[in-house]
């Protein structure tokens, strides 16, 4: 345990992430020794616990030979995910009460902690059957590396352990001041030095894991009610430092930007519906872009347009407006465009997000149990905008537009009713079979509008169906694509980021019969059988395939939150990676391997 004097120091520090890439650690420290540092280092498991342990270069550089050969390492089984936290104040040097003996050349002080994480066997490891079977599930299985540990996940768990230890220490230190203790949640943060594990991709994964693992949504308690909407989060890495001239700062920056974008998405989805109306969504997102991308806005590379009900009426968005008309909240369409492809004026991709900021089900009202979770029914819009934020900050050479269809779905005396026939932007008539199948009605007009821009690729993202959750749970995003080439790129993006996609069939003729009606062109519900598939088939009615060749529908109803209802911000990482792959010159959609 930490000394109580150090607990208070720790509890009131901002988070810093200091990344080492085989650096000279003598250059590492701040001159102000009041800052405590936490080190996360990797240890490889010896084969059959017989051979000597293998340490990462950073571990060997930081720690003394005497400590590395101590029983502490030999008696522990450093299987993948094993974690041991050491307080350096327990190992005080006889020559100085400020120096810890476990560090090499006085590199560690008594104010530091070291978290060791087991990485499993480094070489010639036996791969469990369940991992081999996992790899075989993917069409591009050569991209799936099952021999390396999941660095992102390990770092996320590691920083969570550090934060929980810090919170426990802080609570113990403030046990005589209950009010301060109860309201001190947002002050628990840590400054971390992280092992680079020898690879640039591992370094980025480590940065992402630490940033994701250190984030949380602040409770709306009495103390926090005075905060603005943009202040109801904590854990963002406030400073990244590297003292190694050879460190690729682009890798460090990429990891921070992408993880922060995912955290922003989770934050938007976690806000209660009265804090995240369509109008407030536009306000918060606009402010985020204005604060973090001001130069792009000044240079006209980035444009933000906020459309109101009148604009929607002029566009003929009858499907979207009928969803919105039961609520007192004004519908909005938020449209943000980033043009950074100097080789073409065409849009490389449009991300279209479902933004139902609260879904009661309308007249076909949902059961009360779990209805509060429908504050997250705008996760598709949050995902698209957050992915775009990362694309802008990474300055990817791509032309991309994101559109969010924002409204509430509420019952009232003017709400759309089951059996009503409404007209979409492309003139097709829709029988409203179920008002709780509202997301596809909002997206219908969004797809019509997006098709007008003739994008090379069009992707809609939506928490669309419970049927997808039943089929895939919370692990995989359901992915429907109109071309095999597009699926290969989607699958690759998911594999690269471990934000996995799973292809489902876009068979329009075969499943379209379930959406047929004798009243008008199409109905908005195909029944319980193949519910996720028929929802996607409904959406294809509003894509102009003469203008759009590559179309994908992502059903994120399972992956946008955990099984316990905590918002995840997925699949932001995969969508950022998809945009990055599109921006690479060698990707020309001739992927036939």
């Amino acid at each position: 345990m930490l000394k109580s004097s150090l607990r208070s120091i720790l509890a009131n520090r901002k988070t810093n992430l200091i990344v080492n890439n085989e650096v000279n650690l003598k250059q590492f420290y701040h001159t102000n020794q009041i800052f405590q540092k936490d080190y996360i280092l990797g240890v490889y498991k010896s084969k059959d616990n017989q051979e000597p342990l293998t340490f990462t270069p950073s571990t060997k550089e930081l720690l003394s030979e005497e400590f590395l050969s101590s029983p502490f390492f030999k008696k522990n089984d450093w299987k993948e995910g094993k974690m041991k936290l050491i307080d350096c104040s327990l190992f005080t040097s006889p020559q100085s009460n400020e120096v810890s003996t476990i560090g090499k050349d006085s590199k560690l002080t008594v104010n530091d902690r070291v978290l060791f994480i087991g990485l499993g066997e480094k070489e010639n490891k036996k791969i469990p059957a369940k991992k081999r079977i996992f790899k075989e599930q993917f069409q591009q299985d050569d991209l799936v590396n099952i021999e390396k540990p999941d660095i992102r996940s390990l770092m996320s768990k590691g920083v969570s352990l550090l934060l929980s230890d810090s919170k426990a220490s802080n609570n113990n230190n403030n046990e005589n001041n209950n009010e301060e203790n109860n309201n001190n949640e947002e002050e628990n943060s840590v400054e971390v030095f992280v092992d680079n594990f020898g690879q640039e991709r591992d370094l980025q994964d480590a940065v992402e894991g630490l940033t994701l693992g250190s984030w949380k949504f602040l409770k709306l308690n009495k103390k926090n009610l005075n905060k603005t909407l943009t202040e109801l989060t904590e854990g963002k890495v406030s400073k990244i430092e590297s003292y190694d001239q050879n460190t690729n700062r682009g890798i460090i920056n990429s990891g921070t930007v992408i993880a922060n974008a995912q955290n922003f998405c989770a934050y938007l989805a976690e806000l209660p519906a009265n804090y995240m109306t369509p109008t407030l969504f536009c306000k918060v997102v606009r402010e985020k872009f204005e604060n973090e991308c001001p130069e792009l806005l000044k240079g006209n590379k980035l444009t933000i347009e906020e459309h109101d009900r009148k604009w929607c009426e002029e566009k003929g968005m009858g499907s979207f407006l009928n969803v919105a008309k039961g609520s007192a909240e004004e519908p909005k369409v938020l449209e943000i465009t980033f043009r950074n492809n100097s080789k073409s004026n065409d849009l490389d991709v449009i991300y279209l997000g479902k933004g139902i900021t609260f879904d009661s089900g309308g007249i076909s009202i949902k059961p009360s149990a779990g209805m509060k979770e429908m504050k997250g029914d705008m996760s598709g819009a949050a995902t698209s905008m957050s992915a775009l934020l990362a694309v802008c900050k990474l300055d990817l050479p791509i032309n991309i537009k994101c559109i969010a269809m924002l409204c509430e779905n509420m019952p009232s005396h003017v709400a759309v009713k089951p059996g009503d026939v409404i007209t979409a932007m492309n003139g097709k008539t829709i029988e409203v079979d179920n008002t709780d199948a509202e997301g596809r009605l909002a997206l219908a007009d969004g797809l019509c509008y997006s098709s007008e821009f003739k994008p090379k690729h069009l992707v809609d993202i939506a928490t669309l169906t419970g049927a997808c959750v039943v089929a895939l749970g919370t692990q995989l995003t359901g992915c429907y694509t109109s071309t095999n080439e597009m699926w290969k790129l989607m699958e690759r993006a998911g594999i690269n980021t471990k934000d996995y996609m799973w292809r489902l069939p876009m068979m329009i003729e075969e499943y379209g019969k379930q959406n047929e009606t004798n009243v008008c062109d199409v109905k908005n519900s195909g029944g319980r059988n193949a519910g996720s598939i028929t929802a996607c088939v409904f959406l294809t009615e509003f894509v102009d395939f003469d203008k759009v060749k590559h179309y994908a529908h992502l059903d994120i109803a399972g992956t946008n939150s955990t099984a316990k209802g905590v918002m995840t911000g997925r699949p932001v990482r995969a969508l950022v990676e998809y945009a990055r792959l599109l921006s690479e010159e060698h990707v020309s959609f001739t992927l036939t391997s």
Side-chain angles (χ1 to χ4, degrees):
M1 296 296 292
L2 293 176
K3 297 178 180 179
S4 59
S5 59
L6 297 179
R7 301 180 200 275
S8 57
I9 294 174
L10 176 64
N12 290 284
R13 287 188 282 103
K14 296 293 183 183
T15 301
N16 293 287
L17 176 60
I18 302 179
V19 181
N20 173 55
N21 194 356
E22 300 183 26
V23 303
N24 179 357
L25 292 179
K26 291 182 179 179
Q27 306 175 49
F28 181 78
Y29 282 105
H30 296 282
T31 55
N32 186 351
Q33 291 297 318
I34 193 172
F35 287 103
Q36 176 180 316
K37 298 166 188 66
D38 296 305
Y39 298 80
I40 302 181
L41 301 173
V43 182
Y44 290 100
K45 172 183 170 67
S46 61
K47 192 173 183 62
D48 299 324
N49 293 322
Q50 299 296 323
E51 300 174 4
L53 292 171
T54 303
F55 300 99
T56 62
S58 298
T59 304
K60 290 190 288 187
E61 178 69 22
L62 179 67
L63 302 178
S64 67
E65 291 293 338
E66 182 180 7
F67 182 61
L68 290 176
S69 60
S70 69
F72 169 79
F73 290 103
K74 295 180 180 179
K75 71 179 183 180
N76 284 300
D77 179 12
W78 294 102
K79 62 183 180 180
E80 185 176 328
K82 175 83 171 183
M83 295 189 186
K84 285 287 185 179
L85 180 60
I86 284 185
D87 173 13
C88 294
S89 66
L90 299 176
F91 304 88
T92 306
S93 169
Q95 289 76 30
S96 171
N97 59 7
E98 294 297 321
V99 176
S100 176
T101 56
I102 68 173
K104 184 185 293 185
D105 302 328
S106 303
K107 291 172 181 174
L108 289 175
T109 76
V110 295
N111 294 345
D112 301 329
R113 293 181 300 180
V114 181
L115 176 63
F116 296 99
I117 296 183
L119 303 177
E121 294 180 17
K122 186 175 183 180
E123 297 175 347
N124 302 319
K125 62 194 300 184
K126 182 179 179 181
I127 305 299
K130 59 184 180 181
K131 284 194 173 183
R132 297 197 304 270
I133 293 171
F134 171 81
K135 179 182 176 73
E136 291 294 328
Q137 303 309 301
F138 294 91
Q139 183 178 355
Q140 300 174 86
D141 61 334
D142 58 307
L143 300 175
V144 182
N145 190 330
I146 57 176
E147 297 184 359
K148 294 177 61 177
D150 186 347
I151 298 296
R152 185 188 295 103
S153 177
L154 293 177
M155 291 299 102
S156 180
K157 293 176 182 176
V159 76
S160 296
L161 176 60
L162 290 172
L163 286 166
S164 62
D165 183 74
S166 302
K167 181 176 180 180
S169 301
N170 180 57
N171 288 346
N172 184 64
N173 191 48
N174 293 322
E175 60 186 2
N176 295 323
N177 189 337
N178 290 331
E179 182 177 356
E180 179 183 352
N181 183 42
N182 289 336
N183 292 321
N184 207 32
E185 288 188 56
E186 72 273 20
E187 297 177 1
N188 296 305
S189 53
V190 292
E191 177 185 355
V192 180
F193 159 86
V194 61
D195 203 321
N196 73 347
F197 304 101
Q199 299 288 333
E200 283 191 345
R201 181 68 239 191
D202 292 339
L203 177 61
Q204 179 172 328
D205 288 349
V207 174
E208 289 179 12
L210 286 168
T211 308
L212 292 169
S214 66
W215 178 87
K216 71 175 181 179
F217 180 82
L218 295 183
K219 291 182 179 179
L220 293 169
N221 55 24
K222 181 179 179 181
K223 180 178 180 179
N224 292 331
L225 282 178
N226 293 326
K227 293 181 180 294
T228 65
L229 287 179
T230 54
E231 294 174 335
L232 289 172
T233 66
E234 72 160 357
K236 288 172 60 178
V237 178
S238 60
K239 188 177 183 181
I240 297 178
E241 296 182 16
S242 174
Y243 293 89
D244 181 13
Q245 298 299 318
N246 297 320
T247 297
N248 186 339
R249 293 202 60 83
I251 297 295
I252 301 169
N253 179 63
S254 295
T256 306
V257 166
I258 293 168
N260 278 335
Q262 182 172 337
N263 288 339
F264 180 59
C265 176
Y267 149 74
L268 290 173
E270 199 71 72
L271 281 167
N274 59 327
Y275 280 71
M276 191 44 50
T277 64
T279 300
L280 289 174
F281 182 99
C282 294
K283 178 178 183 294
V284 172
V285 171
R286 179 186 288 273
E287 289 178 352
K288 186 75 170 179
F289 277 88
E290 289 175 347
N291 290 335
E292 299 194 11
C293 307
E295 296 304 317
L296 294 178
L297 286 166
K298 291 178 182 177
N300 294 322
K301 280 188 175 182
L302 184 64
T303 57
I304 301 175
E305 301 172 84
E306 185 179 330
H307 306 302
D308 57 12
R309 183 189 296 273
K310 182 179 179 182
W311 179 89
C312 295
E313 290 172 347
E314 291 172 350
K315 290 291 182 180
M317 294 184 172
S319 185
F320 171 59
L321 289 174
N322 268 278
V323 176
K325 74 177 187 177
S327 172
E329 294 291 342
E330 283 294 303
K332 297 284 185 180
V333 176
L334 183 61
E335 182 178 346
I336 304 182
T337 308
F338 177 55
R339 292 189 176 274
N340 199 35
N341 184 354
S342 60
K343 298 180 180 180
S344 172
N345 291 323
D346 296 334
L347 280 172
D348 296 300
V349 63
I350 290 180
Y351 287 159
L352 171 67
K354 170 189 170 184
I356 308 299
T357 56
F358 187 76
D359 179 20
S360 69
I363 297 297
S364 307
I365 197 164
K366 294 177 180 290
S368 59
M371 190 191 288
K372 67 177 184 178
E373 304 302 332
M374 291 301 101
K375 66 182 182 180
D377 209 24
M378 35 61 70
S379 292
T383 300
S384 62
M385 292 299 167
S386 299
L388 176 59
L389 179 67
V391 168
C392 292
K393 295 183 72 173
L394 295 174
D395 199 32
L396 296 182
I398 190 172
N399 294 337
I400 178 173
K401 182 187 289 288
C402 284
I403 300 170
M405 309 298 291
L406 300 158
C407 69
E408 288 185 341
N409 182 28
M410 299 291 286
S412 75
H413 67 290
V414 295
V416 68
K417 304 176 294 298
D420 285 358
V421 174
I422 59 181
T423 306
M425 184 177 169
N426 65 350
K428 287 191 177 182
T429 53
I430 307 166
E431 180 186 17
V432 181
D433 185 63
N434 184 343
T435 66
D436 195 23
E438 86 300 329
R440 64 200 74 180
L441 296 177
L443 289 174
D445 284 330
L447 290 168
C448 294
Y449 180 61
S450 298
S451 296
E452 291 186 345
F453 294 99
K454 300 180 180 180
K456 296 177 182 177
H457 316 285
L458 172 57
V459 183
D460 78 62
I461 310 102
T463 49
L464 204 65
T465 66
C468 191
V469 185
V470 172
L472 300 178
T474 60
Q475 301 300 316
L476 299 167
T477 292
C479 179
Y480 299 82
T481 62
S482 62
T483 64
N484 289 326
E485 292 85 356
M486 191 176 197
W487 163 241
K488 288 179 181 178
L489 205 61
M490 275 289 180
E491 184 185 44
R492 184 188 298 183
I495 291 172
N496 289 353
T497 58
K498 291 185 170 63
D499 200 349
Y500 299 111
M501 309 270 183
W502 196 255
R503 192 178 192 183
L504 294 168
M506 187 184 288
M507 295 183 176
I508 299 172
E509 185 174 354
E510 289 76 6
Y511 288 91
K513 293 180 175 59
Q514 292 180 227
N515 294 332
E516 291 179 356
T517 172
N518 59 359
V519 175
C520 58
D521 291 325
V522 65
K523 63 179 179 178
N524 76 327
S525 175
R528 292 177 60 84
N529 291 343
S532 180
I533 300 174
T534 57
C536 174
V537 169
F538 174 85
L539 294 176
T540 63
E541 297 277 352
F542 307 95
V543 178
D544 189 339
F545 287 102
D546 290 331
K547 298 177 180 178
V548 179
K549 178 181 179 182
H550 301 291
Y551 163 63
H553 161 60
L554 301 184
D555 195 332
I556 65 169
T559 50
N560 81 306
S561 64
T562 66
K564 295 183 179 180
V566 179
M567 300 302 170
T568 63
R570 292 179 61 194
V572 166
R573 296 197 314 273
L575 287 177
V576 176
E577 177 69 2
Y578 186 80
R580 187 191 70 79
L581 292 172
L582 279 179
S583 70
E584 291 183 345
E585 292 183 359
H586 68 271
V587 175
S588 59
F589 272 80
T590 57
L591 302 174
T592 57
S593 59

